[in-house]
């Protein structure tokens, strides 16, 4: 939608701003996680710090991805401002977990 908003003078009635979606997740073998809790904790803390940085620096995120995605930085910056990069735990109410049950 951000690209369309840039090209065509449209009135956007709704977007996905600040909606938490499962854009990706980390999986670990139970044995590894059980045997390496400190390593897992540090990994998740650092991953969340990257997410925090990304939310505070949407222009830098856009500049980093623009060459690979071949999209205008201003379009990607708008997208970056609308999404959440921080980690969150999956819970029993998440659709993904419900599908696994």
């Amino acid at each position: 939608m951000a690209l369309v908003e840039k090209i065509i003078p449209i009135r956007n009635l709704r977007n996905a701003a600040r909606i938490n979606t499962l854009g990706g997740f980390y999986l670990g073998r139970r044995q590894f996680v059980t045997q390496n809790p400190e390593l897992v904790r540090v990994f998740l803390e650092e991953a969340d710090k990257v997410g925090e940085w990304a939310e505070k620096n949407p222009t830098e995120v856009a500049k980093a991805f623009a060459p690979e995605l071949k999209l205008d930085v201003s379009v990607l910056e708008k997208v970056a401002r609308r999404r959440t990069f921080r980690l969150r735990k999956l819970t029993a109410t998440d659709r993904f977990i419900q599908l696994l049950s």
Side-chain angles (χ1 to χ4, degrees):
M1 187 60 148
L3 181 58
V4 172
E5 291 171 342
K6 183 175 173 67
I7 297 171
I8 302 170
I10 63 171
R11 182 172 160 227
N12 187 1
L13 300 177
R14 187 171 199 180
N15 66 44
R18 311 316 295 166
I19 292 177
N20 233 340
T21 60
L22 293 176
F25 47 89
Y26 299 105
L27 297 174
R29 280 191 355 241
R30 186 180 311 272
Q31 180 183 2
F32 179 84
V33 172
T34 303
Q35 292 175 353
N36 301 282
E38 183 64 13
L39 179 62
V40 172
R41 184 188 65 74
V42 169
F43 173 81
L44 293 175
E45 284 178 358
E46 293 303 314
D48 194 50
K49 286 178 188 176
V50 171
E52 182 180 21
W53 176 89
E55 288 183 2
K56 290 178 180 176
N57 297 281
T59 303
E60 296 305 313
V61 171
K63 287 177 182 177
F65 283 100
E68 183 66 27
L69 297 175
K70 296 177 179 44
L71 290 172
D72 187 82
V73 170
S74 65
V75 171
L76 290 174
E77 184 176 358
K78 186 172 274 194
V79 171
R81 289 185 187 283
R82 289 180 177 170
R83 67 158 294 176
T84 301
F85 291 94
R86 301 286 303 270
L87 297 184
R88 71 179 182 91
K89 292 180 180 179
L90 293 177
T91 66
T93 59
D94 285 303
R95 181 78 176 128
F96 176 76
I97 298 298
Q98 292 171 358
L99 292 172
L100 293 177
S101 300

